[in-house]
Amino acid sequence: MRTVEGPTSRVVVVGAGLSGLSAALHLLGAGREVTVVERAAHPGGRAGLLERGGYRFDTGPTVLTMPDLVAEAFAAVGRELGDHLELLPLHPAYRARFADGSALDVHTGAEEMEAEVARFAGAREAIGYRRLRAWLTRLHQVQTRRFIDANFDSPLDLLTPDLARLAALGGFGRLDARIGRFLSDERLRRVFSFQSLYAGVPPARALAAYAVIAYMDTVAGVFFPRGGMHALPRAMAAAAADAGADIRYGHDVTRLERSGDRVTAVVTDQGRVPCDTVVLTPDLPVAYRLLGHRPRRPLQLRHSPSAVVLHAGTDRTWPGLGHHTISFGAAWKETFRELTGTGRLMSDPSLLITRPTATDPSLAPPGRHLHYVLAPCPNTDIGPGTAEWHGLAPRYRDRLLRELEGRGLDGLAAAIEEECLVTPVHWTAQGHAAGTPFSAAHTFAQTGPFRPRNLVRGTVNAVLAGCGTTPGVGVPTVLISGKLAAARVTGGRQVRTAGRPRP
């Protein structure tokens, strides 16, 4: 594995999002002196927080899986996850509601889910679910160490025995077809394949290897931090500061100071921070602008669909909603054509509705509720641009509310006391390419060693982290990206102690 060249004692991490905080904790555990500079007044990055009228809205991801990765970051500085953060398991992990009026609770326990599938679709599908679960587990075991939690220097790094194992499991086939080998009920197939949307590829075209995301959601378990998702970066930042990190909020990075091919300092609007190495976590266009270098690729990057998010604080809730509810429209293949092909807004939307107050009522005033509605939409490369969204946003907000009221959330519009609507305009303003928070799509040509690498030609001591680089999009993978960036600095060697790290 290639590492940065020269001294690495002093590291500046740009960005206190999940990837930056993960990198900081792993670097501290390896005895590095770490300074984190963050333009916002608090940690979190995309996992931010908006407080209005007593409501605490998480503005970023709402689904937390693979908590062992969080525990690993704390363990790097000799800390226990439970001492900093309380994670509450969600039962069920999801509730799926379909256009025909049927509903399915998605459990992560094998026996519970088998019984639920049998109730929902019959004994034959329940047997298929058991076989699917075993396949997902094997797929995860094969992929994690070699293909997800791994730095790549060359496509030749793929040539391991695990590549043959992945091929034998059908990982290079198509996701929808592979799920169809286990389940014939089209509704069930959606439950185990919709996750590919967040990787930016329709299930009919996505590699079956991306079923590993379904493993995380439907086998490994879904959790929620007490205090909301923003409690996760707050806890990570506190652990990093306790372990010796210098975290500077309200510092906007303006440029990198260089000497030849080395970055020698990070310059912010408040001063200069000398460094031996820098870890850059902003989205790729911002990181490349700071570096003054954009890697040449044979094909232009393709980006994932974007999302419109309505954060609503309401004076009531609806009994059919779980903590996470996926409300599927009748259309499916057409939805993906619109989102990734024609660039149209979903004509029959499938929506993620999250009700965090179902698990933690303290996030809203007494007797009040939080509802987070995520509607995938085309990115600005193929769909409406930011100028169009300025006029489109209020109309689309009203359209979403009418759709949800028609699906059983009667009186939703009148129940809203506080709200915030997020569109591609906001994602663009935050520096996200193509107006999407989901970065580069996980096509085959943008996966593994073909994804933008975390070492960039033209500089010998800068490393990238975040969803645009290895291994990709999602909370678990972003946490891994921070660890992989730290390994590029340290060579993967860490010292873990019961207290503060030692060099």
Side-chain angles (χ1 to χ4, degrees):
M1 179 186 71
R2 288 177 54 209
T3 59
V4 300
E5 297 179 15
T8 62
S9 296
R10 300 173 301 168
V11 184
V12 175
V13 177
V14 177
L18 295 179
S19 65
L21 292 170
S22 173
L25 288 166
H26 287 286
L27 287 164
L28 289 162
R32 298 312 190 268
E33 177 186 324
V34 177
T35 301
V36 181
V37 291
E38 166 58 51
R39 66 181 177 181
H42 47 72
R46 296 177 209 204
L49 176 69
L50 175 66
E51 298 186 77
R52 286 187 179 175
Y55 292 95
R56 295 171 58 83
F57 299 105
D58 282 316
T59 60
T62 63
V63 179
L64 177 62
T65 60
M66 308 302 289
D68 286 353
L69 295 171
V70 183
E72 185 180 17
F74 282 101
V77 292
R79 301 295 192 270
E80 294 288 338
L81 168 61
D83 293 338
H84 293 266
L85 191 68
E86 182 182 1
L87 296 183
L88 306 170
L90 299 186
H91 302 296
Y94 293 97
R95 178 163 292 158
R97 298 172 64 174
F98 300 91
D100 63 3
S102 60
L104 171 80
D105 281 351
V106 179
H107 299 282
T108 53
E111 293 182 1
E112 288 177 292
M113 189 58 183
E114 184 176 1
E116 178 69 355
V117 170
R119 178 201 65 79
F120 181 78
R124 183 174 179 180
E125 293 295 271
I127 294 170
Y129 160 72
R130 276 288 192 173
R131 293 174 51 235
L132 172 61
R133 184 184 179 95
W135 178 73
L136 291 172
T137 301
R138 292 196 301 273
L139 193 70
H140 175 260
Q141 291 168 344
V142 167
Q143 284 197 79
T144 299
R145 188 168 63 91
R146 292 288 189 182
F147 304 109
I148 299 175
D149 193 358
N151 276 312
F152 291 98
D153 294 326
S154 161
L156 295 177
D157 292 342
L158 288 172
L159 301 180
T160 71
D162 282 332
L163 183 68
R165 296 185 184 101
L166 183 58
L169 285 169
F172 297 107
R174 297 302 174 194
L175 175 62
D176 192 50
R178 178 58 58 169
I179 298 294
R181 291 191 175 197
F182 303 100
L183 301 170
S184 59
D185 189 293
E186 193 264 348
R187 298 167 300 172
L188 287 175
R189 290 166 67 172
R190 291 189 190 188
V191 168
F192 292 95
S193 64
F194 81 90
Q195 297 88 349
S196 72
L197 174 61
Y198 303 111
V201 188
R205 296 208 314 266
L207 291 176
Y210 281 106
V212 72
I213 308 174
Y215 168 87
M216 297 175 185
D217 282 357
T218 66
V219 178
V222 177
F223 298 81
F224 187 70
R226 188 176 297 281
M229 285 290 289
H230 185 66
L232 172 58
R234 286 202 312 271
M236 294 176 71
D242 188 50
D246 177 8
I247 305 181
R248 304 181 185 184
Y249 299 112
H251 286 241
D252 192 8
V253 175
T254 57
R255 64 186 178 90
L256 303 179
E257 194 173 284
R258 299 178 63 141
S259 175
D261 56 5
R262 294 194 67 81
V263 176
T264 57
V266 174
V267 181
T268 77
D269 56 357
Q270 299 193 38
R272 176 180 178 274
V273 188
C275 64
D276 297 317
T277 303
V278 62
V279 176
L280 299 170
T281 71
D283 209 13
L284 292 179
V286 177
Y288 291 152
R289 176 178 58 78
L290 289 171
L291 289 168
H293 176 76
R294 179 181 294 274
R296 286 177 292 181
R297 294 178 61 90
L299 296 173
Q300 185 176 357
L301 279 177
R302 287 181 51 197
H303 289 88
S304 297
S306 184
V308 172
V309 180
L310 175 62
H311 301 279
T314 64
D315 61 10
R316 59 168 293 195
T317 190
W318 291 263
L321 296 178
H323 185 112
H324 295 296
T325 301
I326 308 164
S327 177
F328 289 105
W332 188 238
K333 292 181 180 179
E334 179 60 26
T335 293
F336 285 99
R337 278 194 290 270
E338 291 167 341
L339 292 173
T340 65
T342 64
R344 294 177 53 209
L345 297 175
M346 293 182 291
S347 55
D348 183 16
S350 290
L351 307 169
L352 172 64
I353 307 161
T354 297
R355 184 168 62 104
T357 42
T359 303
D360 188 350
S362 72
L363 298 172
R368 299 304 196 258
H369 305 271
L370 290 178
H371 296 89
Y372 164 112
V373 180
L374 185 148
C377 70
N379 64 49
T380 56
D381 281 347
I382 67 168
T386 54
E388 293 173 83
W389 270 110
H390 283 291
L392 178 60
R395 298 196 305 274
Y396 193 60
R397 175 254 187 205
D398 293 344
R399 176 179 159 187
L400 285 176
L401 290 175
R402 287 194 300 270
E403 185 69 40
L404 289 166
E405 290 189 346
R407 297 185 186 186
L409 275 64
D410 55 292
L412 173 58
I416 295 175
E417 295 182 332
E418 296 284 351
E419 69 176 284
C420 176
L421 184 71
V422 180
T423 74
V425 173
H426 301 83
W427 306 126
T428 299
Q430 292 176 28
H432 302 322
T436 173
F438 303 117
S439 196
H442 283 264
T443 60
F444 179 77
Q446 296 177 178
T447 296
F450 310 112
R451 197 163 182 82
R453 296 188 193 167
N454 54 11
L455 288 182
V456 183
R457 287 193 179 96
T459 180
V460 297
N461 66 332
V463 189
L464 304 183
C467 62
T469 187
T470 304
V473 178
V475 173
T477 40
V478 163
L479 292 170
I480 291 172
S481 82
K483 182 177 75 166
L484 295 178
R488 291 290 196 184
V489 178
T490 67
R493 295 181 299 275
Q494 293 180 338
V495 178
R496 297 177 182 173
T497 68
R500 294 181 182 272
R502 64 176 188 269

